[in-house]
Amino acid sequence: MTYTTPYLELYPERIKANAKSIIDLCHRHGIQVAAVTKVTAAHDVVAHALEDAGADMIADSRITNLRSLGESGIALPRLLLRLPAPSEAQMVVRNSEISLNSGLHTLKLLSEAALAEKIRHGVIIMVDVGDLREGIWPDQAVDLVKAAARLEGLEVLGMGCNLACYGGVIPSEANMQKLIDTRNQCRKATGLPLDILSGGNSANLPLLACGQMPAEINHLRIGEAIILGRNVLDRSPWPGTRQDTFRLFAEIIEVGRKPSVPIGERGQDAFGGTTDFEDRGIRKRAICTIGRQDVVVDGIEPEDKGITVLGGSSDHLILDVEDAATDVKVGDELSFFPGYGALLAMSTSPYVAKVVVRDK
């Protein structure tokens, strides 16, 4: 079948194999895995691959994605990753079994919504151990857990933290111990078991693999390491995984030899930026049918190592093809491997077709 470019190929068997490798590693250490679907916009084929690989939960940041996961037949508990908005309390309890939380106001609204639905909603209280994104400060955690425990519509399942997403703080024995100590203080103060200790995300895997993860950590929320097979601390390949789980294809619409530095007085580009150009003389260049509206242009790697991404505008991807392995021409399709940001953008773009490819 022929597809209009740009299109994104996804390989569910490869994703499933990645997931099984990482989930098995976690399970051997007594850690449950909430497999994260958000970078694929909760594509149902990806979600079922994660379920088949043995994930314990399915997690996403968008309520609409969690709803679609339920509608696609996913039987696993659904975890809402982003802190719930107060205005979405009813939707949260209807479309997720568990959510991450850090504030009493929202917890009260979730409790009210759960009671109205005649259910109990599970919550994990988030603690900020240094990355400075979501989470209550450790010295305020006891009071919040006490208050949450009194809300009839909620079950306080445990505590969690997030690292390496905003501040780039690397998971360590020290910050994991801070989470453990905070949980233990809350346990003592409330009598709640607080069984779940959700220590973070894909960034925690190196700590686990080198044997330094404290045994009390029993839950991780893993996305990129499974989906793209990457160690998220340095983007190196994660052992036992594949990195060819997704491929972007874009069609060439112009080829020509041009200078490598723009000619004339320069101001800002269409996105308000300025670029320093290296003068490499006259070079063969190509333009493809995708741009910054649909993809992070510096987050894609040409499959042909002789091709270089120069940049892009809203709808044009500009390439240096002087050293391409083949004599590229207008109408050819070029393939690229996406990084996390690029995949995230393409997954949510209606202009990029999604094509499921089954390995034979």
Side-chain angles (χ1 to χ4, degrees):
M1 182 178 292
T2 302
Y3 298 95
T4 302
T5 62
Y7 61 91
L8 179 67
E9 289 186 344
L10 59 96
Y11 295 80
E13 283 81 14
R14 301 176 190 181
I15 296 168
K16 179 180 175 180
N18 283 3
K20 189 173 189 315
S21 175
I22 290 174
I23 291 168
D24 286 352
L25 169 67
C26 291
H27 284 177
R28 288 197 299 271
H29 290 83
I31 293 175
Q32 289 191 324
V33 173
V36 180
T37 59
K38 67 178 181 178
V39 74
T40 68
H43 195 291
D44 61 329
V45 170
V46 174
H48 283 284
L50 299 174
E51 184 176 44
D52 292 345
D56 302 286
M57 301 178 184
I58 289 287
D60 204 286
S61 294
R62 310 282 175 157
I63 298 171
T64 51
N65 286 350
L66 292 172
R67 181 172 60 219
S68 69
L69 288 169
E71 292 170 350
S72 73
I74 293 293
L76 297 174
R78 293 165 296 171
L79 169 64
L80 177 63
L81 292 174
R82 187 169 64 185
L83 302 181
S87 61
E88 297 175 333
Q90 186 179 64
M91 293 178 62
V92 171
V93 301
R94 285 179 175 176
N95 296 289
S96 67
E97 286 69 47
I98 307 168
S99 61
L100 308 181
N101 286 268
S102 66
L104 184 57
H105 176 66
T106 302
L107 286 166
K108 288 179 177 178
L109 294 174
L110 290 172
S111 178
E112 292 171 5
L115 291 173
E117 297 289 328
K118 296 182 172 53
I119 59 174
R120 292 191 81 198
H121 180 72
V123 298
I124 294 172
I125 303 299
M126 296 297 283
V127 180
D128 192 333
V129 297
D131 201 55
L132 302 184
R133 201 179 73 173
E134 78 273 45
I136 195 165
W137 214 242
D139 62 4
Q140 301 170 354
V142 168
D143 289 341
L144 180 60
V145 174
K146 281 182 177 179
R150 292 192 289 267
L151 299 174
E152 295 181 5
L154 303 182
E155 182 179 3
V156 185
L157 299 173
M159 308 188 76
C161 68
N162 193 70
L163 291 160
C165 281
Y166 171 68
V169 175
I170 296 173
S172 65
E173 288 184 86
N175 48 40
M176 291 298 97
Q177 192 60 49
K178 186 180 292 187
L179 175 64
I180 295 165
D181 292 344
T182 304
R183 189 278 301 269
N184 291 344
Q185 292 166 8
C186 293
R187 259 184 176 174
K188 183 177 180 180
T190 65
L192 294 174
L194 303 173
D195 287 331
I196 293 178
L197 264 184
S198 189
N201 51 48
S202 295
N204 290 66
L205 289 175
L207 189 68
L208 177 65
C210 73
Q212 296 179 352
M213 180 71 77
E216 293 90 341
I217 301 299
N218 59 14
H219 185 274
L220 292 174
R221 312 175 302 277
I222 301 178
E224 183 177 354
I226 289 174
I227 299 298
L228 293 175
R230 295 288 179 184
N231 178 341
V232 302
L233 298 182
D234 59 10
R235 265 61 194 186
S236 61
W238 183 258
T241 66
R242 297 180 63 157
Q243 291 69 54
D244 57 349
T245 49
F246 292 84
R247 294 167 78 206
L248 162 67
F249 287 83
E251 187 175 353
I252 297 176
I253 54 176
E254 178 183 292
V255 175
R257 300 188 66 78
K258 295 185 180 182
S260 47
V261 177
I263 300 168
E265 183 179 359
R266 295 174 52 223
Q268 294 183 343
D269 62 27
F271 289 83
T274 58
T275 302
D276 293 325
F277 293 90
E278 178 186 359
D279 190 348
R280 302 182 65 196
I282 304 298
R283 304 281 293 181
K284 186 177 181 181
R285 296 154 70 97
I287 299 176
C288 287
T289 54
I290 194 167
R292 291 171 67 174
Q293 183 170 347
D294 307 301
V295 72
V296 178
V297 296
D298 56 1
I300 55 176
E301 178 185 350
E303 192 165 358
D304 182 338
K305 301 300 184 183
I307 295 175
T308 302
V309 175
L310 296 175
S313 59
S314 300
D315 307 294
H316 300 76
L317 177 67
I318 303 167
L319 307 170
D320 183 316
V321 296
E322 181 78 22
D323 301 318
T326 60
D327 183 21
V328 301
K329 58 186 182 299
V330 171
D332 287 349
E333 291 183 0
L334 298 179
S335 58
F336 306 82
F337 293 117
Y340 183 85
L343 179 58
L344 183 68
M346 288 189 290
S347 294
T348 57
S349 173
Y351 303 110
V352 179
K354 298 6 176 237
V355 180
V356 176
V357 180
R358 300 287 183 180
D359 288 323
K360 296 179 181 179

